[in-house]
């Protein structure tokens, strides 16, 4: 028996359910144009998990997939259009949108791609120009 914590989440209509286990590797907000266009929102709240920590536990046949760039495979529910997650194979991580998870405590650490922001947030968290160094970015901070 695993003692790892488990969290459930899913889409807008409930046809798709997902499960994540363990601990998120990182959490925060992404301000990039891709996230904004895909989410139709000004900012994306992300939680990053190892690929094998995330399972589609119901409605896998309803999951649509779209890949525009090599490192992002975006998935949503074909029944309701609700967004679920983005796989980042190049990082070995899956971004399960914080809003897709239930009963999960979202603890943001940083803001990524803040140079592209359309919504400045004065929360005192680090604002990175692009991505952290560990994810291939510059790790450079920019003003809030
Ligand atoms: Zn749905
Ligand atoms: Zn982004």
């Amino acid at each position: 028996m695993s003692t790892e914590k488990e969290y459930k989440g899913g889409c807008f209509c409930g046809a798709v359910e997902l499960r994540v286990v363990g601990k998120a590797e990182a959490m925060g907000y992404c301000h990039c144009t891709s996230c904004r266009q895909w989410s139709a929102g000004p900012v994306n709240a992300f939680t990053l998990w190892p690929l094998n920590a995330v399972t589609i536990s119901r409605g896998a046949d309803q999951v649509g997939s779209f890949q525009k760039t090599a490192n992002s495979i975006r998935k949503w529910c074909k029944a309701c259009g609700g967004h679920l997650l983005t796989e980042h194979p190049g990082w070995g991580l899956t971004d399960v949108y914080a809003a897709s998870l239930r009963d999960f405590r979202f603890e943001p650490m940083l803001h990524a791609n803040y140079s592209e922001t359309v919504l400045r947030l004065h929360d005192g968290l680090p604002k990175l120009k692009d991505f952290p160094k560990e994810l291939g970015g510059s790790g450079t901070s920019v003003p809030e």
Side-chain angles (χ1 to χ4, degrees), residues 10-16 62 76-84:
C11 68
F12 183 52
C13 75
V16 180
Q62 288 296 317
W76 74 95
C77 169
K78 290 190 276 187
C80 70
H83 293 180
L84 297 161

Side-chain angles (χ1 to χ4, degrees), residues 10-78:
C11 68
F12 183 52
C13 75
V16 180
E17 279 211 346
L18 56 79
R19 196 163 56 88
V20 294
V21 292
K23 203 168 158 289
E25 300 263 325
M27 300 185 220
Y29 303 96
C30 186
H31 295 252
C32 83
T33 306
S34 292
C35 280
R36 285 189 279 109
Q37 290 180 333
W38 166 251
S39 69
V43 65
N44 176 43
F46 65 81
T47 71
L48 291 171
W49 305 78
L51 293 177
N52 63 6
V54 185
T55 314
I56 302 292
S57 45
R58 188 171 77 202
D61 59 325
Q62 288 296 317
V63 176
S65 182
F66 185 78
Q67 184 169 13
K68 185 178 181 182
T69 58
N71 196 34
S72 294
I73 305 168
R74 297 167 189 276
K75 301 204 169 179
W76 74 95
C77 169
K78 290 190 276 187

Side-chain angles (χ1 to χ4, degrees), residues 26-31 44 46 106-113 123 125-128 130-132 134-135:
M27 300 185 220
Y29 303 96
C30 186
H31 295 252
N44 176 43
F46 65 81
F106 179 60
E107 291 175 325
M109 303 148 61
L110 55 83
H111 293 255
N113 294 304
D123 57 7
L125 291 173
K127 305 292 183 301
L128 297 185
D130 40 63
F131 288 110
E134 308 83 74
L135 295 178

